[in-house]
Amino acid sequence: MTESAGQQPGFPGGSGLVKGDDRMTTSASGKAPTDDPVAAFFDELARRGYEPLLRKVSGRVRFDLVDGSNLEPRLVVIDKGKLTVTGDSAEAECTIRGELPVFKELVSGRRNFVAAVLRGALACQGDLELMFAIQRIFPAPPRGWDPTADTRSG
């Protein structure tokens, strides 16, 4: 069997996904997937709907994503692990604000959440206990990634 040009090996249509796996064909908002890793991260949280790491946590956390003069809020409502994610700019017990490139590094695991707060790359206002709880949703560094590799002379 040969694949058409531009198609990946796998199933008809060339998606290369496991048959029946439609996780990335639409976002939680019903829109097509995006190349924006931050939007994909929040869409995935909404799609999951439950995070076991937050099973003892309840509260509202608003992430203010700053992109130049634009501000994109993401409100994450947690009710004992059950997650609801919206684009509301409503009040929250904890607000975390930072530049979009910082969030891109966070969702890829290439920046540590707490370190970003301590270094001033993220500003946190409100319930610090909730901030420490929500940092659990961000991924660990990619396997084999060395954050100091670019700083060494060789």
Side-chain angles (χ1 to χ4, degrees):
M1 179 172 125
T2 61
E3 300 290 334
S4 301
Q7 289 187 347
Q8 296 177 5
F11 293 95
S15 69
L17 297 173
V18 175
K19 188 173 185 176
D21 184 355
D22 63 352
R23 285 182 290 181
M24 292 305 291
T25 57
T26 60
S27 68
S29 62
K31 298 177 184 172
T34 176
D35 289 335
D36 179 2
V38 177
F41 173 80
F42 284 106
D43 284 346
E44 171 63 16
L45 274 184
R47 187 194 66 75
R48 264 194 323 225
Y50 181 76
E51 175 52 62
L53 293 172
L54 300 175
R55 69 186 175 279
K56 296 181 180 179
V57 177
S58 292
R60 297 162 59 96
V61 180
R62 190 179 74 227
F63 293 90
D64 287 340
L65 314 174
V66 179
D67 186 14
S69 61
N70 296 325
L71 178 73
E72 289 184 46
R74 294 288 189 278
L75 183 66
V76 179
V77 179
I78 311 157
D79 182 14
K80 296 180 182 167
K82 183 180 178 220
L83 302 175
T84 305
V85 181
T86 67
D88 292 343
S89 59
E91 289 294 315
E93 288 92 346
C94 180
T95 302
I96 299 162
R97 182 183 186 108
E99 297 288 329
L100 192 56
V102 173
F103 281 102
K104 285 181 180 178
E105 290 179 343
L106 286 170
V107 302
S108 71
R110 296 186 184 276
R111 184 176 286 216
N112 178 277
F113 184 90
V114 175
V117 171
L118 293 174
R119 291 182 179 133
L122 293 177
C124 179
Q125 192 172 31
D127 187 341
L128 291 179
E129 193 173 331
L130 195 51
M131 180 210 65
F132 279 107
I134 197 71
Q135 64 93 27
R136 299 175 195 158
I137 66 173
F138 290 95
R143 176 172 263 191
W145 180 66
D146 180 2
T148 63
D150 293 338
T151 62
R152 288 188 234 131
S153 60

